[in-house]
Amino acid sequence: MQIQAAFRTDEIRRTPPTPQDEMRAGMSYFHETIWKGVPKFLRRVDTALKNIGIQERVPYNAPVIQFSSWMGGDRDGNPRVTPEVTRDVCLLARMMAANLYFSQIEDLMFELSMWRCNEELRVRADELHSSSKRYAKHYIEFWKQIPPNEPYRVVLGNVRDKLYNTRERSRQLLANGKSDIPEDSTFTNAEQILEPLELCYRSLCACGDRPIADGSLLDFLRQVSTFGLSLVRLDIRQESDRHTDVLDAITKHLGVGSYREWSEEHRREWLLSELRGKRPLFGPDLPKTEEIADVLDTFNVIAELPPDNFGAYIISMATSPSDVLAVELLQRECHVQQPLRVVPLFEKLADLEAAPASMACLFSINWYRDRIKGKQEVMIGYSDSGKDAGRLSAAWQLYKAQEELVKVAKQYGVKLTMFHGRGGTVGRGGGPTHLAILSQPPDTIHGSLRVTVQGEVIEKSFGEEHLCFRTLQRFTAATLEHGMHPPVSPKSEWRALMDEMAVVATKEYRSIVFQEPRFVEYFRLATPELEYGRMNIGSRPSKRKPSGGIESLRAIPWIFAWTQTRFHLPVWLGFGAAFKHVIQKDTKNLHTLQEMYNQWPFFRVTIDLVEMVFAKGGPGIAALYDKLLVSEELRPFGDRLRANYEENKLFLLQIAGHKDLLEGDPYLKQRLRLRDAYITTLNVFQAYTLKQIRDPDYHVTVRPHLSKDYMESTKPAAELVKLNPASEYAPGLEDTLILTMKGIAAGLQNTG
């Protein structure tokens, strides 16, 4: 039944998803797997502790893993994420959380039927029993008055009723913007739910019923501590430049000059003087453009909603201390009672290099140190740093930036949490979780880290119960292992070699991607980048700015386009030039590189992932795209890149000591071999479809593979064409292209 239903369902999304759609899709993983997966995983941790002689369980109020989300909060270059969307998403999450708790509390009431309890619980149950409303309108027949000889049920019945009100209030606010349910009849924070549950737990333990307390009740306590009332905390992300626009409008309105034109030092001085003072900076008369109103309205939504809805405020493209102080000031001006922690996101190579000095400057400000209370989070971006300088240089700069940031934090007595902004693909920092964590520099994890699980890999991490369990296990195990057995620090000669190679790799990468006059033209001809937006797989536009070249293109379409043609240029470009340079300079360097591969986890993981990408690559496929789609004068450029590809591959094998790709992972090698015939077929379909789309006069003659009788009797092709009547291309071409894109992406998934 399910196979047939899937087969009869349209393969293609016909309209782009809204941010609310994305949020609902993301939340479905909580509903389906994560909600039950967390307590199950924590029981496994309890067992592991018991096995090594530790009898205590993991405390329910110290969550091992917590979840946040960007869905509906990430407005970086996405005009569809408005303040209204953020508000809707927060209320929707609250409603879903209350619904999950509500369905679970009934099971718990069924289990906790015992009459014996401690005095504390008895007093509470008697109070509730005498004051409870016997006939509330929304009560169904099953919800009759609970007898006083079931004290646990009396207490939990009150929790259930409040959860019902909490859910209904969120539903009404979401639908109408107002609610007739008073807030004091609902739960407004997680502590209010935990209090009666803790009371039940203490009572059971006091009466000798610890095994009962450690059953479903403990699981429930752990869920409340992990998910709170908002299910996930929403992170807000906005580009630093947008905050500069707002402050520029404010300073001009106040008549003190143009904030945008001030030096960094002047900006800092002014921001701090305002943060230390109390005067309001602006009123309703502030002249606002649409963009400025959007930023301020977002802060107003943060101020309006309960603080446990939100996690961090992340500043993308952060470059300097004033970027952080600007957000702190705007939070205060918009009356955010419990300000969000502000997290700078350093992405490009130059910003990563300057990050330690920026944070040192912030930590040296007394006002800021008092504000953060000894804790700071810094996010580092793998996608945009890779797009900016190539994978080798980006990986090394990310490694060094983390080392330096930790030193700075130690110097000022601040506990630093690194937030890794990784994508799913290797070009965006993806890779096996366990190895990725273990290859981080020593002292950079300290028992806690944050990571992104991107949309394109959520299914593989949390799509089924066993996958969810394994994902939670991997993150926890690797984080513990990194702390107990820190990886080796690189030797000084390894560092020197990496520094030298990074300079050469960046130069090679940028000379082709940013300085080659016709590279953008070649890229757009040789890949399906221009057609990518038709897939409707996300709510964000593929570019931060509608005009502009590679620098304005988002990291996902940049990587995706090259993945489709099996050329993976952003991953490997620069490696070969770097290796060639140092080996030609001194042949002993080859031995040093091999030593680095064998002894240094960071270098080994970097090389192994690129090797895996080469195993999935196919320069012959890329040549077919060139032959069909690229103008004749640009084809030598493609030939040169493919020669570069082969040279890179040879150097990589030499350093890894392998005769063949994936020699050290025969299982993966076999999986890729099995898949290759299918992906190659899709590539050929795609290349010819692109040719027909771009050149309507081009005709492909194919031998029919279905009998004429079958075609005439079922008319499947004609039916499918009706699904997309708005296409500007010949019937079926657009659908064929989208299906090949989906198939190739699935076939080239990050199997590492």
Side-chain angles (χ1 to χ4, degrees), residues 110-167:
F110 183 80
E111 284 183 30
L112 300 187
S113 54
M114 55 288 304
W115 57 269
R116 190 167 53 180
C117 66
N118 67 3
E119 187 59 24
E120 190 186 11
L121 187 83
R122 172 73 58 202
V123 171
R124 176 74 61 84
D126 289 347
E127 280 173 13
L128 290 168
H129 194 268
S130 59
S131 67
S132 65
K133 296 179 204 168
R134 195 168 292 206
Y135 302 109
K137 281 182 185 173
H138 57 254
Y139 283 10
I140 55 172
E141 189 61 25
F142 183 73
W143 290 9
K144 288 187 175 171
Q145 183 83 347
I146 299 162
N149 66 333
E150 295 174 358
Y152 293 98
R153 285 179 170 171
V154 172
V155 171
L156 293 175
N158 185 58
V159 174
R160 174 198 61 191
D161 296 350
K162 275 196 163 185
L163 281 168
Y164 183 94
N165 287 339
T166 305
R167 181 184 69 186

Side-chain angles (χ1 to χ4, degrees), residues 291-551:
E291 286 79 12
I292 289 168
D294 183 75
V295 173
L296 291 174
D297 287 348
T298 301
F299 282 107
N300 292 331
V301 166
I302 297 169
E304 170 204 337
L305 292 169
D308 64 350
N309 271 313
F310 299 103
Y313 193 107
I314 293 153
I315 311 164
S316 60
M317 296 296 170
T319 56
S320 52
S322 64
D323 291 333
V324 174
L325 297 173
V327 173
E328 294 285 9
L329 183 60
L330 289 171
Q331 288 197 88
R332 194 200 71 182
E333 285 302 308
C334 295
H335 313 292
V336 179
Q337 295 302 314
Q338 291 184 33
L340 278 57
R341 63 185 193 277
V342 181
V343 179
L345 163 52
F346 299 107
E347 297 176 85
K348 295 198 168 175
L349 213 61
D351 300 338
L352 283 164
E353 284 169 7
S358 286
M359 295 315 296
C361 178
L362 272 174
F363 295 153
S364 66
I365 298 167
N366 292 333
W367 180 91
Y368 188 75
R369 275 216 311 285
D370 292 342
R371 157 79 178 95
I372 61 172
K373 296 182 174 64
K375 288 182 180 176
Q376 176 69 49
E377 194 176 301
V378 172
M379 186 172 182
I380 49 172
Y382 286 71
S383 297
D384 280 293
S385 57
K387 184 161 77 77
D388 179 43
R391 190 73 253 133
L392 179 69
S393 308
W396 178 230
Q397 192 53 55
L398 285 159
Y399 188 96
K400 287 197 298 182
Q402 287 183 76
E403 286 183 317
E404 292 303 315
L405 284 165
V406 165
K407 280 181 196 166
V408 166
K410 270 186 184 171
Q411 185 186 334
Y412 288 94
V414 174
K415 176 164 187 336
L416 187 72
T417 298
M418 301 304 307
F419 184 5
H420 296 261
R422 293 173 176 274
T425 52
V426 175
R428 299 180 59 229
T433 301
H434 196 250
L435 289 174
I437 294 173
L438 291 184
S439 65
Q440 296 308 308
D443 296 329
T444 56
I445 289 180
H446 274 312
S448 71
L449 83 159
R450 283 192 95 197
V451 291
T452 47
V453 179
Q454 298 281 359
E456 76 265 31
V457 291
I458 288 179
E459 178 70 28
K460 296 174 190 68
S461 300
F462 294 102
E464 294 175 40
E465 276 189 38
H466 73 281
L467 293 175
C468 171
F469 187 86
R470 206 184 312 163
T471 299
L472 298 177
Q473 205 169 30
R474 279 189 187 131
F475 278 118
T476 308
T479 304
L480 287 168
E481 196 177 334
H482 189 282
M484 292 187 283
H485 305 290
V488 296
S489 286
K491 297 176 183 175
S492 55
E493 62 263 34
W494 297 354
R495 283 179 178 282
L497 206 56
M498 280 302 296
D499 283 337
E500 194 174 340
M501 288 196 299
V503 171
V504 177
T506 304
K507 189 180 172 189
E508 164 85 354
Y509 178 88
R510 287 179 175 166
S511 71
I512 289 173
V513 173
F514 295 110
Q515 288 154 19
E516 185 68 50
R518 299 188 70 181
F519 176 79
V520 174
E521 184 188 351
Y522 172 78
F523 166 60
R524 292 195 166 136
L525 288 172
T527 70
E529 187 262 327
L530 291 170
E531 292 80 6
Y532 165 75
R534 297 176 183 277
M535 284 186 72
N536 292 323
I537 59 171
S539 70
R540 282 201 303 191
S542 61
K543 286 185 170 188
R544 279 194 171 88
K545 296 184 177 102
S547 58
I550 301 299
E551 67 287 341

